Amino acid sequence: MVNVMKRPRYAKMNGLLYPEMFSPKCFQEALEYKAKPGDVFIDTYPKCGTTWMQNVAMYIFRKGKEVERSTDFLKLAPFIDLLGMEGITNMPRPGAFKTHLPYSYMPYSPEAKYIFVARNPKDCCVSFFYHARNQPGFGYWDGEFDDFFELFMAGELEYNDYFDHLLDWYPHRKDPNVFYTTYEDMKKDIKGVILKLSRFLGDEYIEAIEKDNAVLNNIILYSGFDYMKKKLSEVYDLRGSEDIDPIFTGLTYMCEFTNSLKPPEDLPELEFVRKGIVGDWRNHFSVDQTERLNRKFLDKMKDTEVLQWYPIE
């Protein structure tokens, strides 16, 4: 790999890179958690539609009822990787845990349900770069895209290699307790994805939609890009910890770690939901970068249907 001038701050546990700002105790407890019947997990590689799917699932469970406070999102759709056992135990049910763990690291039970979302690796790379640069806890606010691209190609980012992560999940895409979709399919037909996911999650959820069309309309509205961008902007701005429920010890740890880095005061406002579009990679990739990622994509995804999901450009 070419020399990289700067990297986001990561730690490693059990061979898995994870953000250094995450509490090691909480991350270990996520790895050690034993899934229970009725648990639901939303899993993606970072920046592949996780927040969007969290909102979709949360509002399916709520049958279209809007949350009272934006910060309730942290309780109703929590990130198990930094939650801690107390938060895991006390998550309101029904609900879904978010995680970025590869399949082989997942808390697994045949009686739990798993939602996996894939995304074009090029768009993932670009979105991941902005996430790393804009979240002060990575200490990467002056990072450059060319360096980040090299890390993406080498699989030296949090949760390791994008392609290995996808290949770890791919054989399970048709398991009866797995719901599998792509970011691009959500963009093309979010209504269809919501209906299929509602059936997957349980009869009561699809019946609620069929009984009252307002339920479906509300799920679409509250999981829409504009709504999420407005409502979630303050949820993930973790430079201050005064509004964080004490149960979320991992978030408190994150705030304290981020503050210890003494990030510049003039950093732009954190945007956890940025553009939400398909094809933004064309505004960032050079011809050489495009060709190199295409070669890796073809090599890693050979003999899989993924080659049809994302035709080479």
Side-chain angles (χ1 to χ4, degrees), residues 19-49:
E20 191 179 357
M21 62 183 147
F22 284 14
S23 159
K25 176 178 180 292
C26 291
F27 193 70
Q28 183 175 4
E29 289 175 347
L31 291 173
E32 294 175 349
Y33 176 64
K34 305 300 182 184
K36 297 178 173 58
D39 279 350
V40 179
F41 296 87
I42 296 168
D43 189 278
T44 75
Y45 190 75
K47 308 313 297 178
C48 288

Side-chain angles (χ1 to χ4, degrees), residues 169-186:
W169 270 98
Y170 180 79
H172 304 281
R173 69 197 185 282
K174 296 181 181 179
D175 289 359
N177 63 338
V178 172
F179 179 89
Y180 195 79
T181 191
T182 68
Y183 186 91
E184 293 74 20
D185 282 345
M186 293 176 72

Side-chain angles (χ1 to χ4, degrees), residues 72-279:
D72 287 343
F73 178 77
L74 296 173
K75 292 183 180 180
L76 300 173
F79 190 6
I80 194 173
D81 301 21
L82 54 78
L83 189 55
M85 191 55 66
E86 184 180 2
I88 293 171
T89 303
N90 290 284
M91 185 193 81
R93 265 74 166 184
F97 295 110
K98 160 191 169 179
T99 183
H100 294 310
L101 295 174
Y103 182 88
S104 55
Y105 286 82
M106 281 292 297
Y108 184 78
S109 167
E111 297 178 90
K113 293 184 178 181
Y114 300 85
I115 302 166
F116 185 75
V117 186
R119 188 181 190 183
N120 185 313
K122 296 171 186 169
D123 279 333
C124 170
C125 179
V126 170
S127 183
F128 204 172
F129 163 68
Y130 283 106
H131 175 68
R133 197 176 69 172
N134 295 343
Q135 167 55 271
F138 287 111
Y140 198 67
W141 46 81
D142 54 351
E144 299 291 339
F145 178 74
D146 288 350
D147 279 348
F148 194 87
F149 173 83
E150 297 300 334
L151 295 173
F152 187 87
M153 287 292 294
E156 295 181 7
L157 296 172
E158 58 182 292
Y159 301 94
N160 299 2
D161 185 82
Y162 162 96
F163 297 96
D164 291 342
H165 191 285
L166 179 53
L167 286 171
D168 204 17
W169 270 98
Y170 180 79
H172 304 281
R173 69 197 185 282
K174 296 181 181 179
D175 289 359
N177 63 338
V178 172
F179 179 89
Y180 195 79
T181 191
T182 68
Y183 186 91
E184 293 74 20
D185 282 345
M186 293 176 72
K187 290 290 291 185
K188 285 189 293 186
D189 185 16
I190 188 60
K191 178 180 176 180
V193 171
I194 290 170
L195 291 174
K196 291 176 184 176
L197 180 58
S198 298
R199 291 189 182 93
F200 173 78
L201 291 175
D203 291 342
E204 68 174 285
Y205 304 111
I206 190 63
E207 288 170 2
I209 288 174
E210 291 173 342
K211 186 181 297 184
D212 184 356
N213 195 53
V215 173
L216 176 60
N217 291 338
N218 284 345
I219 296 170
I220 294 172
L221 173 64
Y222 298 145
S223 59
F225 177 80
D226 292 338
Y227 181 90
M228 289 193 298
K229 192 173 181 67
K230 177 182 177 182
K231 292 292 186 179
L232 296 180
S233 59
E234 70 272 20
V235 171
Y236 285 98
D237 188 352
L238 299 174
R239 280 172 277 192
S241 60
E242 60 275 4
D243 294 326
I244 294 177
D245 192 307
I247 195 174
F248 297 114
T249 56
L251 292 174
T252 302
Y253 184 99
M254 178 186 287
C255 290
E256 293 172 350
F257 180 89
T258 300
N259 291 335
S260 75
L261 299 181
K262 298 184 175 6
E265 295 183 1
D266 60 349
L267 289 179
E269 182 178 349
L270 179 64
E271 290 185 302
F272 202 83
V273 177
R274 195 177 64 90
K275 285 187 176 181
I277 63 175
V278 172

